[in-house]
Amino acid sequence: MHLAGAAAPFLDALSALAVNQPADRAGIRLHGVPGLAELLGTATLGAPVRGMRPVRAILFDKSPGANWALGWHQDRTIAVRARADIPGFGPWSVKQGLLHVEPPFALIEAMRTMRIHLDPVPRDNAPLLIAPGSHRLGRIPESELAAVVERCGTACCLADAGDVWLYATPIVHASAASGGAGHRRVLQVDFSAQALPPGLEWLGL
């Protein structure tokens, strides 16, 4: 779902939150950033995910000095506060000091992901590519991703600064390296309405 200009009223505030983050990483996992949760809870940004709460935020900043491509994949992990060995949750990993785990895929299927564009994303600035309808296919083995993309086709998520794209978290997606001369900053936020089993807590923002 493309929400044109949905974040435009908050673009300066969101850009100010991003400006102090490191600029040389593929993705910066945000936790404890003052003001971020309040901005995401505003009426305009929060309406499409009403009844859900933000559980993880990542800032992507592609630039000439930090550029990369990402192949077709599904997002499958969540960030939690502490480890608890619960059936169905695993494997575990640590990403930028934050604990992640792959949960039962039904939990991922119930989540939504919001991408807030802080910069324009024309075709030469690494727009997100998605395989429409792939979020309905469950957990897809990596060996089958290419066939799924061929069957579903691809869509290109172009954006102006201040636009928001909202999609089902398990959708198959990819992006190329940026060909632009400036930045391509995207704040990606995962939302969920579900509680985790006793012993596990969402890390949150």
Side-chain angles (χ1 to χ4, degrees):
M1 178 188 300
H2 184 203
L3 305 170
F10 320 105
L11 194 56
D12 288 346
L14 289 169
S15 296
L17 293 179
V19 74
N20 292 325
Q21 302 302 322
D24 57 350
R25 298 180 186 174
I28 305 161
R29 284 163 171 81
L30 303 178
H31 180 62
V33 176
L36 180 57
E38 288 76 12
L39 281 171
L40 293 174
T42 58
T44 305
L45 287 179
V49 287
R50 185 170 290 117
M52 309 179 86
R53 62 171 175 152
V55 293
R56 180 173 63 174
I58 306 174
L59 176 67
F60 297 106
D61 184 2
K62 291 187 181 182
S63 68
N67 206 353
W68 68 93
L70 197 59
W72 292 103
H73 68 285
Q74 290 177 301
D75 290 339
R76 296 176 179 172
T77 63
I78 61 173
V80 297
R81 291 185 177 276
R83 178 165 180 160
D85 293 324
I86 295 175
F89 285 78
W92 292 81
S93 59
V94 176
K95 302 176 183 181
Q96 295 178 6
L98 303 179
L99 190 62
H100 286 68
V101 65
E102 184 172 327
F105 202 71
L107 189 147
I108 298 290
E109 290 177 310
M111 293 173 63
R112 295 293 179 268
T113 296
M114 177 182 289
R115 287 173 64 90
I116 304 169
H117 292 271
L118 307 185
D119 300 301
V121 186
R123 290 188 181 275
D124 69 347
N125 204 17
L128 187 74
L129 305 174
I130 61 170
S134 58
H135 61 287
R136 302 187 185 96
L137 303 179
R139 189 182 188 282
I140 302 168
E142 291 187 12
S143 60
E144 298 177 14
L145 285 171
V148 166
V149 172
E150 183 175 358
R151 184 167 73 249
C152 292
T154 63
C156 185
C157 302
L158 305 180
D160 292 321
D163 284 4
V164 172
W165 277 92
L166 182 69
Y167 59 94
T169 298
I171 199 165
V172 176
H173 59 286
S175 69
S178 174
H183 286 264
R184 189 278 245 160
R185 295 170 301 164
V186 177
L187 177 61
Q188 178 174 302
V189 186
D190 294 333
F191 290 82
S192 178
Q194 297 189 12
L196 297 178
L200 286 176
E201 292 183 61
W202 294 102
L203 178 62
L205 303 186

mmCIF file of all heavy atoms in Angstrom, residues 89-126:
data_model
loop_
_atom_site.group_PDB
_atom_site.id
_atom_site.type_symbol
_atom_site.label_atom_id
_atom_site.label_comp_id
_atom_site.label_asym_id
_atom_site.label_seq_id
_atom_site.Cartn_x
_atom_site.Cartn_y
_atom_site.Cartn_z
ATOM 1 N N PHE A 89 10.887 -21.367 18.399
ATOM 2 C CA PHE A 89 11.658 -20.129 18.278
ATOM 3 C C PHE A 89 13.138 -20.472 18.102
ATOM 4 O O PHE A 89 13.776 -21.024 18.987
ATOM 5 C CB PHE A 89 11.463 -19.255 19.515
ATOM 6 C CG PHE A 89 10.129 -18.558 19.554
ATOM 7 C CD1 PHE A 89 8.988 -19.249 19.921
ATOM 8 C CD2 PHE A 89 10.009 -17.214 19.205
ATOM 9 C CE1 PHE A 89 7.750 -18.614 19.955
ATOM 10 C CE2 PHE A 89 8.783 -16.578 19.238
ATOM 11 C CZ PHE A 89 7.642 -17.281 19.604
ATOM 12 N N GLY A 90 13.691 -20.136 16.967
ATOM 13 C CA GLY A 90 15.083 -20.395 16.674
ATOM 14 C C GLY A 90 15.274 -20.544 15.173
ATOM 15 O O GLY A 90 14.291 -20.750 14.447
ATOM 16 N N PRO A 91 16.496 -20.357 14.693
ATOM 17 C CA PRO A 91 17.737 -20.098 15.433
ATOM 18 C C PRO A 91 17.819 -18.671 15.979
ATOM 19 O O PRO A 91 17.043 -17.803 15.584
ATOM 20 C CB PRO A 91 18.815 -20.331 14.364
ATOM 21 C CG PRO A 91 18.137 -19.990 13.081
ATOM 22 C CD PRO A 91 16.718 -20.438 13.241
ATOM 23 N N TRP A 92 18.812 -18.485 16.866
ATOM 24 C CA TRP A 92 19.047 -17.195 17.491
ATOM 25 C C TRP A 92 20.242 -16.513 16.846
ATOM 26 O O TRP A 92 21.145 -17.165 16.330
ATOM 27 C CB TRP A 92 19.321 -17.385 18.989
ATOM 28 C CG TRP A 92 18.123 -17.860 19.745
ATOM 29 C CD1 TRP A 92 17.658 -19.141 19.838
ATOM 30 C CD2 TRP A 92 17.227 -17.055 20.508
ATOM 31 N NE1 TRP A 92 16.529 -19.183 20.612
ATOM 32 C CE2 TRP A 92 16.239 -17.918 21.038
ATOM 33 C CE3 TRP A 92 17.164 -15.695 20.798
ATOM 34 C CZ2 TRP A 92 15.206 -17.459 21.842
ATOM 35 C CZ3 TRP A 92 16.137 -15.228 21.596
ATOM 36 C CH2 TRP A 92 15.171 -16.107 22.106
ATOM 37 N N SER A 93 20.261 -15.190 16.907
ATOM 38 C CA SER A 93 21.388 -14.436 16.360
ATOM 39 C C SER A 93 21.486 -13.097 17.082
ATOM 40 O O SER A 93 20.528 -12.661 17.727
ATOM 41 C CB SER A 93 21.227 -14.208 14.854
ATOM 42 O OG SER A 93 20.030 -13.501 14.578
ATOM 43 N N VAL A 94 22.646 -12.461 16.975
ATOM 44 C CA VAL A 94 22.855 -11.124 17.532
ATOM 45 C C VAL A 94 23.228 -10.200 16.379
ATOM 46 O O VAL A 94 24.186 -10.458 15.645
ATOM 47 C CB VAL A 94 23.959 -11.116 18.603
ATOM 48 C CG1 VAL A 94 24.212 -9.690 19.094
ATOM 49 C CG2 VAL A 94 23.570 -12.014 19.774
ATOM 50 N N LYS A 95 22.447 -9.136 16.192
ATOM 51 C CA LYS A 95 22.674 -8.180 15.110
ATOM 52 C C LYS A 95 22.873 -6.806 15.718
ATOM 53 O O LYS A 95 21.968 -6.276 16.354
ATOM 54 C CB LYS A 95 21.484 -8.180 14.143
ATOM 55 C CG LYS A 95 21.204 -9.559 13.531
ATOM 56 C CD LYS A 95 19.967 -9.544 12.653
ATOM 57 C CE LYS A 95 19.667 -10.926 12.108
ATOM 58 N NZ LYS A 95 18.475 -10.948 11.216
ATOM 59 N N GLN A 96 24.076 -6.272 15.550
ATOM 60 C CA GLN A 96 24.453 -4.982 16.113
ATOM 61 C C GLN A 96 24.168 -4.917 17.612
ATOM 62 O O GLN A 96 23.679 -3.932 18.143
ATOM 63 C CB GLN A 96 23.744 -3.852 15.371
ATOM 64 C CG GLN A 96 24.176 -3.733 13.916
ATOM 65 C CD GLN A 96 23.457 -2.653 13.152
ATOM 66 O OE1 GLN A 96 22.684 -1.879 13.709
ATOM 67 N NE2 GLN A 96 23.702 -2.581 11.857
ATOM 68 N N GLY A 97 24.456 -6.013 18.284
ATOM 69 C CA GLY A 97 24.305 -6.083 19.728
ATOM 70 C C GLY A 97 22.907 -6.376 20.218
ATOM 71 O O GLY A 97 22.681 -6.465 21.430
ATOM 72 N N LEU A 98 21.948 -6.536 19.307
ATOM 73 C CA LEU A 98 20.561 -6.793 19.684
ATOM 74 C C LEU A 98 20.195 -8.243 19.373
ATOM 75 O O LEU A 98 20.533 -8.769 18.307
ATOM 76 C CB LEU A 98 19.616 -5.839 18.939
ATOM 77 C CG LEU A 98 19.895 -4.343 19.133
ATOM 78 C CD1 LEU A 98 18.915 -3.505 18.331
ATOM 79 C CD2 LEU A 98 19.846 -3.965 20.617
ATOM 80 N N LEU A 99 19.490 -8.860 20.296
ATOM 81 C CA LEU A 99 19.168 -10.274 20.200
ATOM 82 C C LEU A 99 17.983 -10.487 19.256
ATOM 83 O O LEU A 99 16.936 -9.842 19.394
ATOM 84 C CB LEU A 99 18.833 -10.813 21.595
ATOM 85 C CG LEU A 99 18.692 -12.320 21.761
ATOM 86 C CD1 LEU A 99 20.013 -13.031 21.426
ATOM 87 C CD2 LEU A 99 18.267 -12.650 23.192
ATOM 88 N N HIS A 100 18.151 -11.394 18.292
ATOM 89 C CA HIS A 100 17.112 -11.714 17.322
ATOM 90 C C HIS A 100 16.839 -13.217 17.327
ATOM 91 O O HIS A 100 17.715 -14.022 17.651
ATOM 92 C CB HIS A 100 17.524 -11.290 15.913
ATOM 93 C CG HIS A 100 17.471 -9.807 15.680
ATOM 94 N ND1 HIS A 100 18.330 -8.925 16.300
ATOM 95 C CD2 HIS A 100 16.657 -9.057 14.887
ATOM 96 C CE1 HIS A 100 18.058 -7.693 15.895
ATOM 97 N NE2 HIS A 100 17.050 -7.750 15.041
ATOM 98 N N VAL A 101 15.629 -13.563 16.936
ATOM 99 C CA VAL A 101 15.254 -14.969 16.837
ATOM 100 C C VAL A 101 14.233 -15.128 15.716
ATOM 101 O O VAL A 101 13.458 -14.213 15.428
ATOM 102 C CB VAL A 101 14.674 -15.493 18.180
ATOM 103 C CG1 VAL A 101 13.359 -14.798 18.534
ATOM 104 C CG2 VAL A 101 14.492 -17.000 18.149
ATOM 105 N N GLU A 102 14.262 -16.285 15.080
ATOM 106 C CA GLU A 102 13.238 -16.597 14.087
ATOM 107 C C GLU A 102 12.059 -17.258 14.800
ATOM 108 O O GLU A 102 12.223 -18.326 15.405
ATOM 109 C CB GLU A 102 13.796 -17.523 13.009
ATOM 110 C CG GLU A 102 12.805 -17.796 11.893
ATOM 111 C CD GLU A 102 13.415 -18.558 10.727
ATOM 112 O OE1 GLU A 102 14.610 -18.356 10.434
ATOM 113 O OE2 GLU A 102 12.675 -19.359 10.116
ATOM 114 N N PRO A 103 10.872 -16.633 14.773
ATOM 115 C CA PRO A 103 9.712 -17.191 15.467
ATOM 116 C C PRO A 103 8.937 -18.129 14.538
ATOM 117 O O PRO A 103 9.260 -18.236 13.344
ATOM 118 C CB PRO A 103 8.882 -15.944 15.776
ATOM 119 C CG PRO A 103 9.119 -15.085 14.557
ATOM 120 C CD PRO A 103 10.555 -15.334 14.145
ATOM 121 N N PRO A 104 7.901 -18.788 15.035
ATOM 122 C CA PRO A 104 7.008 -19.506 14.134
ATOM 123 C C PRO A 104 6.501 -18.550 13.052
ATOM 124 O O PRO A 104 6.186 -17.394 13.330
ATOM 125 C CB PRO A 104 5.878 -19.966 15.059
ATOM 126 C CG PRO A 104 6.523 -20.055 16.414
ATOM 127 C CD PRO A 104 7.510 -18.925 16.444
ATOM 128 N N PHE A 105 6.428 -19.029 11.824
ATOM 129 C CA PHE A 105 6.185 -18.115 10.714
ATOM 130 C C PHE A 105 4.802 -17.475 10.780
ATOM 131 O O PHE A 105 4.587 -16.395 10.215
ATOM 132 C CB PHE A 105 6.376 -18.835 9.376
ATOM 133 C CG PHE A 105 6.659 -17.884 8.251
ATOM 134 C CD1 PHE A 105 7.868 -17.224 8.168
ATOM 135 C CD2 PHE A 105 5.702 -17.641 7.286
ATOM 136 C CE1 PHE A 105 8.138 -16.338 7.139
ATOM 137 C CE2 PHE A 105 5.955 -16.752 6.247
ATOM 138 C CZ PHE A 105 7.177 -16.098 6.165
ATOM 139 N N ALA A 106 3.867 -18.097 11.472
ATOM 140 C CA ALA A 106 2.533 -17.501 11.603
ATOM 141 C C ALA A 106 2.606 -16.131 12.262
ATOM 142 O O ALA A 106 1.800 -15.241 11.966
ATOM 143 C CB ALA A 106 1.609 -18.428 12.397
ATOM 144 N N LEU A 107 3.570 -15.945 13.156
ATOM 145 C CA LEU A 107 3.724 -14.641 13.806
ATOM 146 C C LEU A 107 4.194 -13.595 12.790
ATOM 147 O O LEU A 107 3.702 -12.463 12.778
ATOM 148 C CB LEU A 107 4.707 -14.766 14.965
ATOM 149 C CG LEU A 107 4.835 -13.553 15.892
ATOM 150 C CD1 LEU A 107 5.117 -14.007 17.318
ATOM 151 C CD2 LEU A 107 5.933 -12.604 15.426
ATOM 152 N N ILE A 108 5.136 -13.976 11.919
ATOM 153 C CA ILE A 108 5.598 -13.061 10.876
ATOM 154 C C ILE A 108 4.457 -12.719 9.923
ATOM 155 O O ILE A 108 4.300 -11.566 9.494
ATOM 156 C CB ILE A 108 6.769 -13.688 10.103
ATOM 157 C CG1 ILE A 108 7.971 -13.943 11.039
ATOM 158 C CG2 ILE A 108 7.177 -12.823 8.913
ATOM 159 C CD1 ILE A 108 8.662 -12.700 11.519
ATOM 160 N N GLU A 109 3.632 -13.708 9.605
ATOM 161 C CA GLU A 109 2.530 -13.486 8.669
ATOM 162 C C GLU A 109 1.514 -12.482 9.191
ATOM 163 O O GLU A 109 0.822 -11.830 8.401
ATOM 164 C CB GLU A 109 1.839 -14.815 8.361
ATOM 165 C CG GLU A 109 2.693 -15.760 7.527
ATOM 166 C CD GLU A 109 2.036 -17.103 7.294
ATOM 167 O OE1 GLU A 109 1.566 -17.716 8.278
ATOM 168 O OE2 GLU A 109 1.991 -17.550 6.142
ATOM 169 N N ALA A 110 1.421 -12.344 10.509
ATOM 170 C CA ALA A 110 0.457 -11.408 11.097
ATOM 171 C C ALA A 110 1.028 -9.998 11.263
ATOM 172 O O ALA A 110 0.304 -9.088 11.675
ATOM 173 C CB ALA A 110 -0.014 -11.934 12.455
ATOM 174 N N MET A 111 2.295 -9.814 10.926
ATOM 175 C CA MET A 111 2.954 -8.514 11.115
ATOM 176 C C MET A 111 2.815 -7.628 9.880
ATOM 177 O O MET A 111 2.504 -8.103 8.782
ATOM 178 C CB MET A 111 4.432 -8.723 11.447
ATOM 179 C CG MET A 111 4.682 -9.386 12.792
ATOM 180 S SD MET A 111 6.433 -9.799 13.087
ATOM 181 C CE MET A 111 7.177 -8.161 13.090
ATOM 182 N N ARG A 112 3.059 -6.348 10.068
ATOM 183 C CA ARG A 112 3.094 -5.391 8.974
ATOM 184 C C ARG A 112 4.398 -4.596 9.073
ATOM 185 O O ARG A 112 4.908 -4.348 10.167
ATOM 186 C CB ARG A 112 1.896 -4.441 9.019
ATOM 187 C CG ARG A 112 0.558 -5.141 8.810
ATOM 188 C CD ARG A 112 0.440 -5.698 7.408
ATOM 189 N NE ARG A 112 -0.827 -6.405 7.200
ATOM 190 C CZ ARG A 112 -0.996 -7.704 7.386
ATOM 191 N NH1 ARG A 112 0.030 -8.456 7.828
ATOM 192 N NH2 ARG A 112 -2.153 -8.269 7.156
ATOM 193 N N THR A 113 4.903 -4.195 7.923
ATOM 194 C CA THR A 113 6.139 -3.412 7.867
ATOM 195 C C THR A 113 5.868 -2.097 7.158
ATOM 196 O O THR A 113 5.281 -2.070 6.078
ATOM 197 C CB THR A 113 7.248 -4.193 7.153
ATOM 198 O OG1 THR A 113 7.570 -5.364 7.925
ATOM 199 C CG2 THR A 113 8.503 -3.348 7.000
ATOM 200 N N MET A 114 6.307 -1.006 7.775
ATOM 201 C CA MET A 114 6.141 0.333 7.225
ATOM 202 C C MET A 114 7.517 0.861 6.823
ATOM 203 O O MET A 114 8.466 0.792 7.597
ATOM 204 C CB MET A 114 5.508 1.245 8.291
ATOM 205 C CG MET A 114 5.338 2.697 7.872
ATOM 206 S SD MET A 114 4.640 3.712 9.224
ATOM 207 C CE MET A 114 2.954 3.101 9.292
ATOM 208 N N ARG A 115 7.608 1.370 5.600
ATOM 209 C CA ARG A 115 8.833 1.992 5.126
ATOM 210 C C ARG A 115 8.565 3.478 4.912
ATOM 211 O O ARG A 115 7.744 3.857 4.071
ATOM 212 C CB ARG A 115 9.319 1.337 3.829
ATOM 213 C CG ARG A 115 9.911 -0.049 4.065
ATOM 214 C CD ARG A 115 10.219 -0.748 2.756
ATOM 215 N NE ARG A 115 11.238 -0.072 1.965
ATOM 216 C CZ ARG A 115 12.547 -0.302 2.043
ATOM 217 N NH1 ARG A 115 13.008 -1.184 2.913
ATOM 218 N NH2 ARG A 115 13.400 0.333 1.249
ATOM 219 N N ILE A 116 9.240 4.309 5.691
ATOM 220 C CA ILE A 116 9.060 5.760 5.640
ATOM 221 C C ILE A 116 10.248 6.345 4.890
ATOM 222 O O ILE A 116 11.401 6.191 5.312
ATOM 223 C CB ILE A 116 8.975 6.343 7.064
ATOM 224 C CG1 ILE A 116 7.853 5.667 7.854
ATOM 225 C CG2 ILE A 116 8.751 7.850 7.008
ATOM 226 C CD1 ILE A 116 7.867 5.995 9.338
ATOM 227 N N HIS A 117 9.981 7.016 3.778
ATOM 228 C CA HIS A 117 11.044 7.501 2.903
ATOM 229 C C HIS A 117 11.437 8.926 3.285
ATOM 230 O O HIS A 117 10.632 9.850 3.194
ATOM 231 C CB HIS A 117 10.598 7.419 1.449
ATOM 232 C CG HIS A 117 10.447 6.010 0.971
ATOM 233 N ND1 HIS A 117 11.488 5.302 0.419
ATOM 234 C CD2 HIS A 117 9.395 5.153 1.012
ATOM 235 C CE1 HIS A 117 11.080 4.086 0.121
ATOM 236 N NE2 HIS A 117 9.811 3.968 0.471
ATOM 237 N N LEU A 118 12.700 9.077 3.691
ATOM 238 C CA LEU A 118 13.223 10.389 4.052
ATOM 239 C C LEU A 118 13.825 11.110 2.849
ATOM 240 O O LEU A 118 14.068 12.317 2.912
ATOM 241 C CB LEU A 118 14.280 10.253 5.152
ATOM 242 C CG LEU A 118 13.862 9.463 6.400
ATOM 243 C CD1 LEU A 118 14.967 9.532 7.449
ATOM 244 C CD2 LEU A 118 12.548 9.944 6.969
ATOM 245 N N ASP A 119 14.067 10.389 1.769
ATOM 246 C CA ASP A 119 14.615 10.943 0.534
ATOM 247 C C ASP A 119 13.794 10.438 -0.653
ATOM 248 O O ASP A 119 13.144 9.386 -0.561
ATOM 249 C CB ASP A 119 16.077 10.507 0.343
ATOM 250 C CG ASP A 119 16.971 10.965 1.475
ATOM 251 O OD1 ASP A 119 17.054 12.179 1.699
ATOM 252 O OD2 ASP A 119 17.575 10.098 2.139
ATOM 253 N N PRO A 120 13.841 11.154 -1.785
ATOM 254 C CA PRO A 120 13.154 10.644 -2.979
ATOM 255 C C PRO A 120 13.765 9.324 -3.435
ATOM 256 O O PRO A 120 14.983 9.119 -3.333
ATOM 257 C CB PRO A 120 13.393 11.745 -4.020
ATOM 258 C CG PRO A 120 13.775 12.964 -3.237
ATOM 259 C CD PRO A 120 14.476 12.461 -2.014
ATOM 260 N N VAL A 121 12.928 8.435 -3.941
ATOM 261 C CA VAL A 121 13.399 7.145 -4.441
ATOM 262 C C VAL A 121 12.865 6.931 -5.853
ATOM 263 O O VAL A 121 11.882 6.213 -6.065
ATOM 264 C CB VAL A 121 12.969 5.989 -3.508
ATOM 265 C CG1 VAL A 121 13.603 4.680 -3.973
ATOM 266 C CG2 VAL A 121 13.389 6.257 -2.073
ATOM 267 N N PRO A 122 13.506 7.572 -6.844
ATOM 268 C CA PRO A 122 13.197 7.259 -8.233
ATOM 269 C C PRO A 122 13.843 5.926 -8.612
ATOM 270 O O PRO A 122 14.471 5.258 -7.775
ATOM 271 C CB PRO A 122 13.821 8.430 -9.000
ATOM 272 C CG PRO A 122 14.966 8.848 -8.135
ATOM 273 C CD PRO A 122 14.520 8.607 -6.718
ATOM 274 N N ARG A 123 13.728 5.549 -9.873
ATOM 275 C CA ARG A 123 14.193 4.232 -10.296
ATOM 276 C C ARG A 123 15.701 4.045 -10.113
ATOM 277 O O ARG A 123 16.167 2.917 -9.935
ATOM 278 C CB ARG A 123 13.804 3.970 -11.748
ATOM 279 C CG ARG A 123 12.294 3.771 -11.921
ATOM 280 C CD ARG A 123 11.924 3.332 -13.324
ATOM 281 N NE ARG A 123 10.488 3.182 -13.446
ATOM 282 C CZ ARG A 123 9.812 2.091 -13.106
ATOM 283 N NH1 ARG A 123 10.478 1.035 -12.635
ATOM 284 N NH2 ARG A 123 8.506 2.025 -13.236
ATOM 285 N N ASP A 124 16.477 5.135 -10.152
ATOM 286 C CA ASP A 124 17.924 4.982 -10.030
ATOM 287 C C ASP A 124 18.422 5.093 -8.597
ATOM 288 O O ASP A 124 19.626 5.106 -8.359
ATOM 289 C CB ASP A 124 18.653 5.996 -10.917
ATOM 290 C CG ASP A 124 18.488 7.435 -10.426
ATOM 291 O OD1 ASP A 124 17.623 7.673 -9.553
ATOM 292 O OD2 ASP A 124 19.222 8.317 -10.923
ATOM 293 N N ASN A 125 17.496 5.165 -7.622
ATOM 294 C CA ASN A 125 17.910 5.308 -6.230
ATOM 295 C C ASN A 125 17.456 4.129 -5.377
ATOM 296 O O ASN A 125 16.999 4.280 -4.245
ATOM 297 C CB ASN A 125 17.390 6.624 -5.635
ATOM 298 C CG ASN A 125 18.232 7.091 -4.447
ATOM 299 O OD1 ASN A 125 19.352 6.638 -4.253
ATOM 300 N ND2 ASN A 125 17.686 7.998 -3.658
ATOM 301 N N ALA A 126 17.580 2.936 -5.961
ATOM 302 C CA ALA A 126 17.378 1.667 -5.241
ATOM 303 C C ALA A 126 15.999 1.526 -4.614
ATOM 304 O O ALA A 126 15.875 1.283 -3.413
ATOM 305 C CB ALA A 126 18.454 1.475 -4.185
#
